[in-house]
Amino acid sequence: MSDEISLPGQCTGVGWDKDGDTLAMINDKTGVIFLWDANNQKTSQLDSGLRDTLTFLLWSKVGQQLAIGTNKGNLLIYNHQTSRKIPILGKHTRKITCGSWSLQNLLALGSEDRTISISNAEGDTVRQASVRADPAEVQFSEMKGDERSTMGDNTVSVIIGHKTLFLYNMNDPENPIELAFQQRYGSIVHYEWYGDGYILIGFSQGYFVVISTHMKEIGQELFQARNHKDNLSSVAISLSLNKAASVGDNCIKIHDLSDLKEMYAIINLDDERGLDKLSWTEDGQLLAVSTKKGALHVYLTKLPMLGDCSNTRIAFLTSLLEVTVQDVVRQDSPLVISIDLEPSFIGLGPFHLAIGMNNRAWFYALSDDGAEKLKDREYLGTVQSIQLNADYAAVRFEGKVQLHVIEGDAAAPSADERDMRLFPEKEQKEARITDHAITVDFLVYSTNVGGLHYFYLEDWQFVNEYRHMVGIRKIFCDIAGTQLILIDDKSDGFVYNPVNDHITEIPNFSPTILGVLWDNSPHDKGVFIGYDEDKIFVYVYCKETVQVGSCLLVGMTKLPYGHIPILLYNGEVTLQTQSGKVATLTLSTHDYDVKAQSLQQTEMRSSLQKCIALHRFRDALMYCNAMNSNEAWHDLGKASLQCLEIDFAINVYRQIGDVGMVMSLNKIKGYEDSHQLAGYIAMFLEDFNLAQDHFLQSTRPIAALEMRRDLLHWDSALHLAKTLSPDQIPFISREYAQQLEFTGDYVNALSHYEKGITRHEETRDHDESCAAGVARMSIRMGDIRRGVQMALKMPSRLLKKDCAQILESMKQWSEAAILYEKGAYYDKGASVYIRSKNWAKVGELLPHVTSPKIHSQYAKAKEVDGQYKEAAQAYGNAKDWDNVIRVNLDHLHDPDEAVRIVRETQSVDGAKMVAKFFLKLADYSSAIQFLVMSKCNDEAFQLAQQHNQMETYAEIIGDDATHEDYQSIAVYFENERNHLLAGKFFYLCSHYPRALKHFLKYQGSDDGQALEMAIETVGKAKDEVLTHQLIDYLMGETDGIPKDAKYLFRLYMALKQFREAARTAIIIAREEQNAGNYRNAHDVLFSMYQELKKNKIKIPTEMNTNLMILHSYILVKIHVKRGDHLKGARMLIRVANNISKFPSHIVPILTSTVIECHRSSLKNSSFSYAAMLLRPEYKNQIDLKYKKKIEQIVRKPDRTEDDELTSACPYCGFNLANTDLMCPECKNNLPYCVVTGRHMVKEDFSTCTNCDFPALHSELLALLDTEDVCPMCSEKINSENVKKLTDTTRYLHPDDVSEAEASGGGE
């Protein structure tokens, strides 16, 4: 108990003033008012001056006025601040029993005279109303209406006769409302206004009713419950707790106003009977209930919400005399500390706890073993807050902060100035400290004049100061002190970066925000929350971004009622509850599933956006991989670039294959200048103004100019160039002018072209470009003379063309044509001269003109003038051959020229004109020829038929006619019995039987041609009947005369019957050989050999042998001609060994063999063949020139002869004579060289590039030094194309290769 006051009589009224500093009391014995001061606990007396009994007392809610009423209806209004007393006599005629002050400082009084008066603060009556019974419980409030009242408390409510509730609306005084209730409820005990015009009423029979004062709902009970069985004595509402309580019987029942149906708590007082009044403290912390026997029960409904955090540990009040410290991340066992008093503040440091009240604090040392009380300390004023670090405590009181060591002795004087310091300094005496924070290294405090001061504990001095535009109310530091949030007097929030003094306004910052917490997790350093009574706002701040510090609101989370956030770690908020416990709440922005694969696409998208917003890029990467969406990757890449996470962004853009972005980022990632780096990133993100700002602050500001030029932002580029690079202005002006010219702004383009001219020799090309622009723009602007003169002076052809085109569009033909001509654009110049009818100039330009259209126009003009020769020439230049032919025939009478042109150009229309011309001259052959050329085949046929010119027609028509044309001709010749031509044209129209019939009937000098055509017909027809018919004819079975075998050979070739053709070819070759036509025989066998090889048919051995012998004979001449007699002799020996195959020339061949062998020192071989020659059957045929020599060789024989040189067999490697073509070891026939006739050697293998026959590589190259044709096929060979072969399989084993190819083709 603080004090006890004795009154002269029974107390009739008691009340606290609005500040809770003064308690007023009255009694029924005296007119004295007793005033007790809570600050000094002294009582004073005030004489009211009223002589009747004082019955009523009430303090104003907003002022210092005290109203006192008497039992006779008199009123006194006392102003405690000015001590002025205003007596109002006769305010009522009887006892004043109740009253209420409004927030507008109006006083409503109720009296036993059954009236209600409403007065102002001076006591003047404003309103008065009469009621039916004694009033009680007068209250001011505001009725609900469709429109808000401007006067605030507009309604006086009062209980009438304990039965009804009277509502008097001052805006509508003529229509008061009186509400009656059911009789079973009993009498009205007490009522309370709350919310938006709701009234809670308690009735004596235990009922508890809620009504609304809105006119639409008036008279309706919104809620009704019987809370107490026997009686209800009082109700009370706590707006701060949002709770309602009723007392009755022997219990207190508490409801939540948001849901009255739910019972929040029941307090039973089993030992008490006659419970009376009920009341909450204003903050709802205490609930008091009195009894009729004078007892008072006070209940603690909620603990003071005191708490603090240090890193991941929190300290909070768990009962009035108990503080709990626990680590909410490590989940260690909580440390419970008993204290000696109910604290009003708590501070927690890494190793200490501070609690206290008023101007005193107690410090505890914390350890794993428990808490040890260190000391207590008094300060120079009431402590508002305390902050601790490992060594120091910073205590704020009455606009000051005292910094002192925690474990130092406050009583003992200290020599070390670092033990204690008081802020602000003397020079800041006009400033009051409004908030403070302490970190490991810094004490930070804010002032009411906008100062923000950083005091560095290590050096014991200020290191940073910032001046805000208005006073700062609150500050909140992160753990390191490198990021700070301040709330100013305008309730605006800002993030301050002390490193670079940069301040960022917090977007969408609610003025209702009560506090801020930084996320203490090392992974979410930029995340913080602001909270008010019902919401948590989540923000992300990034110091290093393209925006130079950006802050974004990323989401909101509902805050449970009555909870206060005390710690934020990794997206989880630790909440302090009113019951002295803590709860954990995961923020909605951090509520995402780390198992991406189990989510739907929309859920993954939402989670991805949360990760990106929180700058949790590693988590976002997981969702991007799962979604595999280009849009998602782009969002992640853009966000990482915003935060200057270059390496991470490179990996992201690699994932989506954005090569350009990856290359660009790789190029800039090494930049150390943060502004330059941010500038390029902003440019990549297309925020060009921001990019420019960064570039201008960087060490390379010229990049801003380069960017603007690249973007074609010419105005900005020119503005930048003035300060950054004035020498670039002419070049930018030129580029700007070019764009303006393109968009049609010729006036400004001309101006910028003129500004671009430098008149420096080193920029001559640039100046010429500007001058060209001036010329074009001058013409565009109408200054044609200036523009044309400039264009003519300048060497540029393109400029002349551009200016001429502009002039042409302006229909300035003369000037346009001159410029075209000067620019050597003769076609265009002539075209414009034609428009202006200047034929003379057109004629001058014609030799240079290539356009057929212009030549044609000129030709028409000349033809009209009768100058036909010039017209024909011009038509010729225009390639208008039909008109050339027409002019030559009709005007120049030169049919030869017309015919020549028709033959050269194959003009159909021209041919028609020439045909008509010859028809007039009765030259039917020529007429037919040109009719056919003009595709008039029917007319040509009729003309040929009429004038017996069918052979001419047939010859002319060639292969270009239709089947019908060929058939008509064939029938004609059939009727004329011209079997050769009839057969030919039946063949062309595919009537093969009739064609063959006519070919076989033909008898004439060129019957060979008929047989050739017959063979071609049968080959094309592929008809067995026709084939047998022709074979019978060729064999002589039809007419008894066998035909030349070559026709049979050709037939088999035409029928692709290659084996039969091969046998026939051997017969033909044998006949040719017998006749001495060795080259013909060789060619027949060679061509047949190639055909068989081409069609992959095995070569007959006889054909191969015959071809080899004939080729050996042909090689003799080549070797002898080249002077290589030994090789010639060897080939002659091979031929002489097969002399029977050369019956026509046995003696000459043997003679040559003897001579060449003798010449080559092959004496034994020479003797053998000489002896053969001297046989009786050959002796007389020997040439007389050689006869004696041969006889001498036989008479004096010399049998000496060197063995022939050997070389390896290409199959088995056995050494055998060079000219031997069969290996005695492996029995293989060896391929022979077409150059020497020797067998091939694997190591010296090549082939003819035309016929593919093998040849020794060295010998073939030696031959090509003097010759250029192949001895086998007689085709030219380029020595550069001859290559030595390493793989000789297809020449040594041709049958295996053919089989492999056949099987491969079959597959």
Side-chain angles (χ1 to χ4, degrees):
M1 181 182 291
S2 294
D3 202 357
E4 186 176 336
I5 304 164
S6 298
L7 298 177
Q10 185 177 348
C11 181
T12 55
V14 63
W16 289 98
D17 70 353
K18 68 179 182 67
D19 298 321
D21 292 332
T22 306
L23 179 69
M25 296 158 283
I26 56 174
N27 63 89
D28 61 353
K29 298 296 184 185
T30 66
V32 176
I33 303 163
F34 290 85
L35 301 173
W36 182 76
D37 191 324
N39 293 321
N40 55 25
Q41 299 190 352
K42 292 182 179 179
T43 305
S44 60
Q45 296 182 10
L46 172 68
D47 187 359
S48 65
L50 301 172
R51 299 290 169 242
D52 43 343
T53 304
L54 305 182
T55 59
F56 170 77
L57 174 147
L58 187 67
W59 287 95
S60 167
K61 295 177 182 177
V62 295
Q64 290 291 323
Q65 290 86 0
L66 174 65
I68 298 101
T70 71
N71 65 340
K72 292 184 178 179
N74 297 320
L75 175 68
L76 172 70
I77 295 178
Y78 167 67
N79 190 317
H80 185 56
Q81 186 174 357
T82 62
S83 300
R84 181 186 174 201
K85 293 186 286 186
I86 304 172
I88 301 100
L89 302 179
K91 174 63 73 172
H92 287 274
T93 57
R94 297 186 65 182
K95 178 182 177 181
I96 295 173
T97 58
C98 56
S100 177
W101 286 93
S102 76
L103 295 174
Q104 287 72 40
N105 224 20
L106 296 177
L107 174 65
L109 297 173
S111 168
E112 288 180 353
D113 64 4
R114 297 188 177 181
T115 61
I116 298 166
S117 66
I118 302 172
S119 311
N120 60 22
E122 300 297 318
D124 301 327
T125 301
V126 178
R127 290 272 193 278
Q128 191 162 352
S130 299
V131 293
R132 292 187 297 104
D134 289 348
E137 299 268 354
V138 175
Q139 293 186 33
F140 268 105
S141 193
E142 182 179 0
M143 281 182 66
K144 288 175 68 175
D146 293 330
E147 295 181 2
R148 282 284 180 200
S149 169
T150 56
M151 65 178 292
D153 291 346
N154 60 7
T155 303
V156 176
S157 58
V158 62
I159 299 171
I160 306 297
H162 300 290
K163 294 295 182 184
T164 62
L165 187 65
F166 183 80
L167 303 177
Y168 180 77
N169 190 332
M170 290 187 287
N171 294 333
D172 189 11
E174 303 302 322
N175 298 297
I177 298 169
E178 190 168 355
L179 301 174
F181 300 92
Q182 299 179 43
Q183 287 188 358
R184 64 189 178 94
Y185 291 172
S187 60
I188 298 175
V189 174
H190 186 62
Y191 72 96
E192 293 272 356
W193 287 80
Y194 76 95
D196 194 10
Y198 297 105
I199 303 176
L200 172 72
I201 308 170
F203 292 88
S204 60
Q205 294 299 316
Y207 286 93
F208 182 84
V209 175
V210 174
I211 64 170
S212 169
T213 59
H214 197 289
M215 292 309 296
K216 292 179 181 178
E217 300 171 338
I218 203 105
Q220 296 179 20
E221 294 180 3
L222 301 182
F223 175 76
Q224 178 262 104
R226 189 168 188 178
N227 255 16
H228 304 278
K229 184 178 179 182
D230 296 330
N231 70 80
L232 182 150
S233 57
S234 184
V235 295
I237 285 177
S238 170
L239 295 177
S240 63
L241 290 180
N242 204 38
K243 299 285 189 293
S246 66
V247 61
D249 300 337
N250 62 339
C251 69
I252 302 167
K253 293 187 177 181
I254 301 173
H255 294 257
D256 195 318
L257 287 177
S258 58
D259 187 2
L260 288 165
K261 293 178 183 178
E262 296 294 325
M263 190 72 69
Y264 178 76
I266 300 175
I267 303 171
N268 291 307
L269 290 87
D270 297 332
D271 298 333
E272 290 287 354
R273 293 289 181 269
L275 298 177
D276 192 14
K277 300 297 180 187
L278 184 73
S279 181
W280 299 88
T281 56
E282 189 173 349
D283 61 2
Q285 186 174 341
L286 300 175
L287 174 64
V289 58
S290 64
T291 69
K292 291 179 180 177
K293 292 183 179 180
L296 182 68
H297 296 270
V298 180
Y299 294 93
L300 183 67
T301 57
K302 68 170 185 176
L303 279 171
M305 303 286 269
L306 295 179
D308 195 13
C309 72
S310 174
N311 206 347
T312 60
R313 289 201 304 175
I314 59 171
F316 57 98
L317 204 62
T318 45
S319 77
L320 290 177
L321 299 175
E322 183 180 271
V323 175
T324 298
V325 178
Q326 72 179 74
D327 193 314
V328 295
V329 176
R330 291 168 54 189
Q331 297 292 317
D332 295 340
S333 298
L335 174 63
V336 179
I337 304 168
S338 297
I339 55 178
D340 301 329
L341 75 161
E342 179 186 342
S344 59
F345 58 84
I346 289 179
L348 180 65
F351 310 112
H352 301 90
L353 171 71
I355 58 111
M357 64 181 297
N358 297 334
N359 67 334
R360 195 170 179 186
W362 284 262
F363 293 90
Y364 294 81
L366 305 176
S367 66
D368 294 339
D369 300 327
E372 179 190 353
K373 188 174 181 181
L374 295 176
K375 61 174 183 178
D376 64 301
R377 185 158 185 159
E378 290 190 2
Y379 301 98
L380 301 176
T382 302
V383 175
Q384 293 161 299
S385 65
I386 186 166
Q387 300 270 326
L388 310 179
N389 70 6
D391 302 309
Y392 288 94
V395 184
R396 180 167 62 89
F397 54 86
E398 296 180 1
K400 297 180 174 60
V401 167
Q402 183 173 333
L403 177 69
H404 64 83
V405 291
I406 296 172
E407 299 192 10
D409 189 352
S414 172
D416 190 352
E417 64 168 4
R418 290 173 175 269
D419 285 356
M420 197 276 288
R421 187 161 178 172
L422 190 66
F423 302 93
E425 304 286 304
K426 290 181 180 178
E427 57 269 18
Q428 298 173 341
K429 59 184 178 181
E430 78 284 354
R432 291 179 62 255
I433 295 176
T434 54
D435 201 2
H436 77 296
I438 192 167
T439 68
V440 176
D441 299 309
F442 301 102
L443 167 69
V444 189
Y445 64 84
S446 60
T447 67
N448 62 331
V449 293
L452 187 63
H453 303 269
Y454 274 75
F455 184 78
Y456 186 34
L457 302 175
E458 175 93 15
D459 295 344
W460 206 250
Q461 64 180 13
F462 288 97
V463 291
N464 191 53
E465 290 187 13
Y466 169 73
R467 178 70 65 179
H468 193 55
M469 59 197 79
V470 294
I472 299 172
R473 208 163 61 222
K474 294 180 181 177
I475 61 171
F476 306 90
C477 265
D478 68 348
I479 292 177
T482 56
Q483 299 176 133
L484 178 141
I485 293 165
L486 62 90
I487 302 175
D488 63 18
D489 288 342
K490 293 182 178 179
S491 296
D492 293 329
F494 299 86
V495 183
Y496 173 68
N497 183 353
V499 177
N500 56 11
D501 251 11
H502 188 270
I503 193 157
T504 304
E505 185 170 4
I506 302 173
N508 309 113
F509 192 79
S510 171
T512 61
I513 283 180
L514 301 173
V516 172
L517 290 175
W518 285 96
D519 196 315
N520 286 349
S521 165
H523 305 298
D524 287 329
K525 288 185 178 178
V527 177
F528 65 90
I529 60 168
Y531 58 88
D532 57 16
E533 290 182 349
D534 55 356
K535 287 190 289 293
I536 296 175
F537 304 87
V538 185
Y539 295 90
V540 174
Y541 171 71
C542 189
K543 287 188 288 189
E544 293 184 355
T545 66
V546 177
Q547 300 288 345
V548 192
S550 70
C551 186
L552 295 173
L553 174 66
V554 295
M556 285 186 286
T557 303
K558 182 174 175 56
L559 179 64
Y561 179 78
H563 290 56
I564 294 178
I566 190 172
L567 172 69
L568 172 63
Y569 189 89
N570 199 28
E572 287 194 343
V573 185
T574 302
L575 305 172
Q576 190 176 358
T577 67
Q578 293 176 347
S579 60
K581 297 178 181 177
V582 290
T584 301
L585 174 68
T586 300
L587 296 171
S588 62
T589 52
H590 292 65
D591 184 17
Y592 57 85
D593 194 337
V594 293
K595 295 180 180 177
Q597 302 297 341
S598 62
L599 301 178
Q600 299 292 328
Q601 195 73 13
T602 52
E603 294 172 328
M604 280 198 282
R605 183 76 191 166
S606 172
S607 297
L608 172 67
Q609 293 302 332
K610 288 179 181 180
C611 293
I612 290 175
L614 294 170
H615 300 166
R616 292 183 169 185
F617 298 135
R618 304 293 167 193
D619 291 349
L621 195 63
M622 169 184 67
Y623 290 107
C624 284
N625 282 320
M627 292 169 70
N628 197 22
S629 157
N630 258 6
E631 184 185 355
W633 284 111
H634 276 292
D635 289 347
L636 179 57
K638 188 174 179 181
S640 57
L641 283 181
Q642 288 278 10
C643 296
L644 303 184
E645 294 280 352
I646 308 298
D647 289 326
F648 185 85
I650 288 172
N651 289 333
V652 170
Y653 285 110
R654 275 199 183 118
Q655 287 284 345
I656 50 179
D658 192 339
V659 179
M661 183 63 90
V662 171
M663 291 178 68
S664 300
L665 293 175
N666 272 319
K667 189 175 179 181
I668 67 168
K669 72 176 183 178
Y671 290 170
E672 294 182 359
D673 186 334
S674 60
H675 282 295
Q676 188 178 358
L677 181 65
Y680 281 113
I681 298 298
M683 185 173 75
F684 297 158
L685 296 175
E686 299 183 5
D687 191 344
F688 304 119
N689 291 334
L690 179 62
Q692 177 175 312
D693 292 342
H694 279 298
F695 285 139
L696 291 177
Q697 294 176 64
S698 74
T699 55
R700 192 173 178 274
I702 196 72
L705 175 58
E706 293 170 355
M707 177 189 73
R708 290 298 184 185
R709 287 185 71 172
D710 292 340
L711 292 169
L712 310 184
H713 295 172
W714 301 114
D715 286 328
S716 300
L718 282 171
H719 180 72
L720 291 168
K722 287 177 184 176
T723 53
L724 297 176
S725 182
D727 58 323
Q728 291 293 312
I729 290 175
F731 304 101
I732 297 171
S733 294
R734 185 198 73 206
E735 292 171 357
Y736 191 11
Q738 288 169 344
Q739 185 185 356
L740 291 169
E741 180 181 358
F742 180 75
T743 57
D745 188 352
Y746 304 127
V747 176
N748 288 320
L750 177 60
S751 170
H752 283 289
Y753 274 130
E754 289 171 339
K755 289 176 184 175
I757 297 173
T758 63
R759 294 182 174 83
H760 297 315
E761 185 60 34
E762 60 270 16
T763 57
R764 185 186 185 94
D765 291 343
H766 161 77
D767 283 357
E768 285 183 0
S769 178
C770 290
V774 171
R776 289 193 301 273
M777 294 308 100
S778 297
I779 294 171
R780 293 274 192 197
M781 299 301 298
D783 193 350
I784 294 172
R785 188 172 185 179
R786 179 191 180 193
V788 171
Q789 285 178 351
M790 289 184 72
L792 288 172
K793 286 179 183 176
M794 296 180 68
S796 171
R797 289 182 66 233
L798 186 60
L799 172 63
K800 293 179 176 65
K801 180 185 177 184
D802 291 342
C803 292
Q805 286 174 335
I806 297 168
L807 289 164
E808 191 177 356
S809 67
M810 297 166 68
K811 297 186 179 179
Q812 302 294 322
W813 313 122
S814 175
E815 292 85 355
I818 290 168
L819 285 176
Y820 277 131
E821 184 181 353
K822 294 295 184 183
Y825 294 100
Y826 300 114
D827 288 11
K828 292 292 293 180
S831 175
V832 176
Y833 277 131
I834 287 171
R835 285 189 178 186
S836 59
K837 309 296 183 188
N838 191 342
W839 299 108
K841 291 296 290 183
V842 175
E844 289 178 17
L845 296 182
L846 272 185
H848 308 290
V849 172
T850 57
S851 169
K853 183 179 177 183
I854 294 169
H855 282 288
S856 185
Q857 288 176 316
Y858 183 74
K860 287 175 184 175
K862 287 298 176 184
E863 190 176 354
V864 169
D865 291 344
Q867 298 178 26
Y868 300 116
K869 193 169 183 180
E870 290 83 350
Q873 185 179 353
Y875 278 130
N877 291 334
K879 303 292 188 285
D880 188 354
W881 303 115
D882 292 347
N883 276 320
V884 176
I885 294 164
R886 178 181 58 77
V887 171
N888 272 293
L889 292 175
D890 295 350
H891 299 297
L892 296 176
H893 307 293
D894 189 353
D896 292 339
E897 181 63 16
V899 168
R900 183 188 67 78
I901 293 169
V902 169
R903 292 189 191 282
E904 284 181 3
T905 62
Q906 297 295 306
S907 166
V908 173
D909 291 334
K912 282 184 184 177
M913 286 188 277
V914 173
K916 287 179 184 177
F917 181 81
F918 282 119
L919 202 55
K920 289 177 186 175
L921 298 177
D923 185 349
Y924 302 116
S925 175
S926 299
I928 290 167
Q929 179 183 348
F930 288 102
L931 282 171
V932 169
M933 198 179 292
S934 64
K935 310 296 183 188
C936 299
N937 289 1
D938 290 342
E939 291 91 329
F941 180 80
Q942 289 170 10
L943 189 63
Q945 203 171 20
Q946 289 170 12
H947 300 283
N948 200 22
Q949 296 285 332
M950 193 58 70
E951 287 191 30
T952 304
Y953 175 65
E955 183 182 343
I956 292 166
I957 199 166
D959 299 330
D960 297 333
T962 63
H963 278 0
E964 289 76 12
D965 291 335
Y966 289 137
Q967 188 171 352
S968 301
I969 297 168
V971 171
Y972 175 83
F973 283 122
E974 187 178 38
N975 293 333
E976 294 291 320
R977 298 185 180 280
N978 188 335
H979 297 298
L980 181 61
L981 290 175
K984 176 183 176 183
F985 285 98
F986 275 127
Y987 166 74
L988 289 172
C989 65
S990 303
H991 285 192
Y992 301 121
R994 293 176 73 178
L996 181 62
K997 184 179 98 175
H998 283 288
F999 286 136
L1000 298 183
K1001 277 186 180 180
Y1002 179 70
Q1003 300 290 331
S1005 58
D1006 51 353
D1007 56 350
Q1009 183 186 355
L1011 281 175
E1012 295 280 0
M1013 291 292 291
I1015 290 166
E1016 194 174 336
T1017 301
V1018 170
K1020 199 78 175 274
K1022 295 184 175 61
D1023 184 323
E1024 286 189 14
V1025 175
L1026 297 182
T1027 303
H1028 288 303
Q1029 186 180 341
L1030 181 57
I1031 291 172
D1032 291 345
Y1033 179 78
L1034 292 175
M1035 301 298 284
E1037 293 181 9
T1038 306
D1039 56 3
I1041 305 170
K1043 307 303 181 292
D1044 195 328
K1046 69 181 180 181
Y1047 296 115
L1048 193 60
F1049 167 69
R1050 286 174 187 161
L1051 174 61
Y1052 286 135
M1053 289 296 290
L1055 294 171
K1056 300 189 184 302
Q1057 296 178 4
F1058 299 111
R1059 286 187 173 83
E1060 289 80 357
R1063 287 195 289 270
T1064 309
I1066 292 169
I1067 295 167
I1068 295 168
R1070 191 182 300 134
E1071 289 177 358
E1072 291 285 355
Q1073 206 167 337
N1074 291 339
N1077 300 324
Y1078 306 123
R1079 172 51 85 175
N1080 290 348
H1082 176 277
D1083 291 346
V1084 168
L1085 291 175
F1086 170 72
S1087 61
M1088 194 63 234
Y1089 187 102
Q1090 293 295 78
E1091 282 293 334
L1092 294 175
K1093 187 176 174 184
K1094 178 181 172 185
N1095 290 282
K1096 297 182 175 58
I1097 297 171
K1098 187 174 180 181
I1099 313 297
T1101 306
E1102 186 182 357
M1103 177 183 284
N1104 207 355
T1105 303
N1106 288 348
L1107 180 59
M1108 179 271 293
I1109 293 167
L1110 284 168
H1111 189 66
S1112 299
Y1113 177 77
I1114 287 168
L1115 285 178
V1116 172
K1117 290 183 181 178
I1118 295 173
H1119 291 321
V1120 171
K1121 181 181 175 185
R1122 296 179 66 210
D1124 195 341
H1125 296 285
L1126 178 59
K1127 287 178 184 168
R1130 293 292 182 193
M1131 290 301 101
L1132 280 169
I1133 290 170
R1134 182 183 291 167
V1135 173
N1137 289 337
N1138 294 276
I1139 197 65
S1140 61
K1141 296 186 183 294
F1142 300 88
S1144 300
H1145 296 85
I1146 292 174
V1147 173
I1149 289 171
L1150 290 174
T1151 305
S1152 298
T1153 305
V1154 171
I1155 292 166
E1156 287 301 319
C1157 286
H1158 192 270
R1159 186 180 291 175
S1160 304
S1161 298
L1162 301 177
K1163 301 294 179 64
N1164 189 38
S1165 298
S1166 178
F1167 168 76
S1168 300
Y1169 293 112
M1172 189 185 296
L1173 264 175
L1174 291 178
R1175 289 176 185 171
E1177 63 267 31
Y1178 304 134
K1179 186 175 182 180
N1180 293 328
Q1181 298 175 36
I1182 299 171
D1183 192 335
L1184 294 176
K1185 283 192 297 184
Y1186 305 112
K1187 193 170 185 179
K1188 285 183 180 181
K1189 179 71 173 172
I1190 292 168
E1191 287 174 346
Q1192 188 179 354
I1193 290 169
V1194 173
R1195 286 194 197 105
K1196 297 178 181 180
D1198 185 352
R1199 301 293 183 93
T1200 60
E1201 183 174 324
D1202 295 334
D1203 291 338
E1204 187 179 355
L1205 296 175
T1206 61
S1207 54
C1209 168
Y1211 290 98
C1212 65
F1214 177 77
N1215 277 328
L1216 69 158
N1218 285 338
T1219 56
D1220 286 355
L1221 298 183
M1222 176 176 277
C1223 177
E1225 182 70 22
C1226 61
K1227 307 302 183 191
N1228 276 316
N1229 286 319
L1230 309 183
Y1232 58 91
C1233 168
V1234 295
V1235 177
T1236 63
R1238 297 174 178 175
H1239 69 76
M1240 292 299 296
V1241 179
K1242 233 179 182 181
E1243 294 74 21
D1244 196 21
F1245 210 110
S1246 66
T1247 61
C1248 169
T1249 55
N1250 297 310
C1251 64
D1252 203 35
F1253 265 79
L1256 293 168
H1257 185 255
S1258 56
E1259 295 290 347
L1260 180 56
L1261 292 179
L1263 174 70
L1264 293 176
D1265 288 340
T1266 56
E1267 309 285 339
D1268 61 353
V1269 295
C1270 170
M1272 178 63 78
C1273 62
S1274 301
E1275 297 289 338
K1276 286 193 175 183
I1277 306 175
N1278 187 341
S1279 59
E1280 293 178 359
N1281 297 331
V1282 176
K1283 306 293 181 188
K1284 186 182 286 190
L1285 301 182
T1286 54
D1287 183 7
T1288 58
T1289 307
R1290 61 190 294 258
Y1291 301 99
L1292 299 178
H1293 306 283
D1295 295 341
D1296 295 346
V1297 174
S1298 299
E1299 287 172 13
E1301 288 176 354
S1303 64
E1307 290 173 8

